Amino acid sequence: MKKSTSFFLCLIILLAAGGFAFYLGWSQFKVEPGNIGIVVSKISGTNPEPVTHERFSWNWEFLIPTNATLLTFSPKSYVFEKVVGGVLPSGKEYEKVYGGAADFSYSFVFSATLKCTAEQIAELVAAHEISSQEDLEKFLERNASAACAAAANAAIYALENGSADSLESAKTIMEDAAGDAMKNCSLESIEIISNSLPDIALYKNAKASYADFIRRLEESISEDAKREAEESARFSSAIRKMEILGDTLKKNPELSDIMKNSDNVSKVLEAINSMQ
């Protein structure tokens, strides 16, 4: 009887311990529907197998106190609105061809939809790039900025070089460029909400005329410099003559009396004019 009681007591203890161990390692119930969990262990690192509410998951790492952590994320799609602006290559210089009347700047307002899969999130956690839902959203926003910038650059390049004649015809080029800019996430869509584009034909004409514009500008500057040099020479000559006059008056005080006589002023000025 005593052996039977001890056996059942041990069985109950074992069942309780087993149930407690099962509860500790059971990670499925810790994740809300629609979310995923990533197990990070001090001993075994990041488990690449995501934990979901819909699938049974048990992890032995939780049996060791303070060893494991379950990080939860929402792998849904996120929409970001980004503004990208700039100036066509050397546009500020080419604007000078038209006296600053032309404007070769551009701007886009994009709406980009991005998403990280459960596997990509696990990779990001393992690489120590994210450790929370906030980190994930910031990571996606940085990728959205990179995607929109790449799309804008691709569109401008296509329009400038003639590989597209409109934004609509450049759509595939923009999408490919935006997708290539992604890092450990997926671009689901990218749309242009609004845009402001310069006159590409006018830009190309300014680009073609720029060398001639610079040549004419240099010639004009050279002529101005020549006129300034001549004016400076005349001014220096006048100053020199005034210095000679001053010295002459000091040496010949009687000239002052002569200059007081208005009838002789012209003769004195002629004499000064002849001074070298």
Side-chain angles (χ1 to χ4, degrees):
M1 182 71 178
K2 289 183 178 179
K3 289 183 178 180
S4 177
T5 302
S6 297
F7 172 77
F8 281 110
L9 183 60
C10 289
L11 181 61
I12 291 172
I13 293 173
L14 287 174
L15 289 173
F20 183 64
F22 175 81
Y23 173 79
L24 287 178
W26 186 26
S27 50
Q28 173 190 4
F29 82 98
K30 301 173 185 177
V31 180
E32 295 181 359
N35 287 354
I36 66 163
I38 304 296
V39 177
V40 180
S41 167
K42 295 177 182 177
I43 294 176
S44 56
T46 302
N47 190 330
E49 186 68 28
V51 177
T52 65
H53 184 81
E54 294 75 18
R55 185 176 61 192
F56 175 75
S57 179
W58 190 87
N59 300 88
W60 65 266
E61 292 91 345
F62 289 104
L63 300 181
I64 304 174
T66 71
N67 172 57
T69 303
L70 183 68
L71 305 177
T72 59
F73 301 91
S74 175
K76 66 179 183 179
S77 300
Y78 292 85
V79 180
F80 301 95
E81 188 173 298
K82 293 293 177 181
V83 178
V84 180
V87 181
L88 294 177
S90 302
K92 287 298 181 184
E93 285 299 311
Y94 296 156
E95 287 173 7
K96 296 176 182 177
V97 173
Y98 300 105
D103 182 5
F104 296 135
S105 61
Y106 61 87
S107 67
F108 294 90
V109 179
F110 289 102
S111 175
T113 304
L114 285 77
K115 180 180 181 179
C116 275
T117 64
E119 291 73 19
Q120 287 171 329
I121 292 174
E123 290 175 3
L124 290 170
V125 172
H128 305 290
E129 292 195 47
I130 64 171
S131 60
S132 67
Q133 177 64 26
E134 183 181 2
D135 289 344
L136 173 62
E137 293 178 18
K138 288 181 179 179
F139 173 82
L140 286 170
E141 184 165 14
R142 289 195 297 272
N143 273 272
S145 296
C148 293
N153 289 337
I156 292 300
Y157 183 83
L159 293 171
E160 181 191 349
N161 292 278
S163 51
D165 56 9
S166 67
L167 288 179
E168 185 60 34
S169 63
K171 184 173 176 60
T172 301
I173 297 173
M174 296 169 70
E175 290 174 343
D176 290 344
D180 290 342
M182 297 293 91
K183 178 186 176 184
N184 279 343
C185 64
S186 304
L187 177 70
E188 295 190 326
S189 68
I190 183 167
E191 301 292 338
I192 299 175
I193 298 175
S194 63
N195 68 88
S196 175
L197 294 176
D199 187 325
I200 300 297
L202 190 67
Y203 169 78
K204 289 181 177 180
N205 184 63
K207 184 177 181 180
S209 305
Y210 186 70
D212 185 57
F213 166 76
I214 292 298
R215 180 185 58 77
R216 288 186 282 107
L217 182 63
E218 289 175 347
E219 289 176 353
S220 174
I221 291 173
S222 178
E223 288 297 324
D224 289 342
K226 182 179 179 181
R227 283 194 295 271
E228 288 180 6
E230 290 173 349
E231 289 291 334
S232 178
R234 282 195 292 268
F235 179 75
S236 297
S237 177
I239 292 296
R240 178 56 183 159
K241 290 177 180 179
M242 292 297 291
E243 290 174 348
I244 293 172
L245 174 60
D247 291 340
T248 302
L249 290 176
K250 286 179 181 178
K251 295 176 181 177
N252 305 280
E254 64 274 10
L255 287 177
S256 296
D257 295 330
I258 295 174
M259 291 185 67
K260 291 178 183 178
N261 187 339
S262 59
D263 293 336
N264 295 318
V265 170
S266 59
K267 293 180 180 180
V268 175
L269 290 177
E270 288 177 8
I272 295 170
N273 234 5
S274 64
M275 295 177 185
Q276 299 298 324

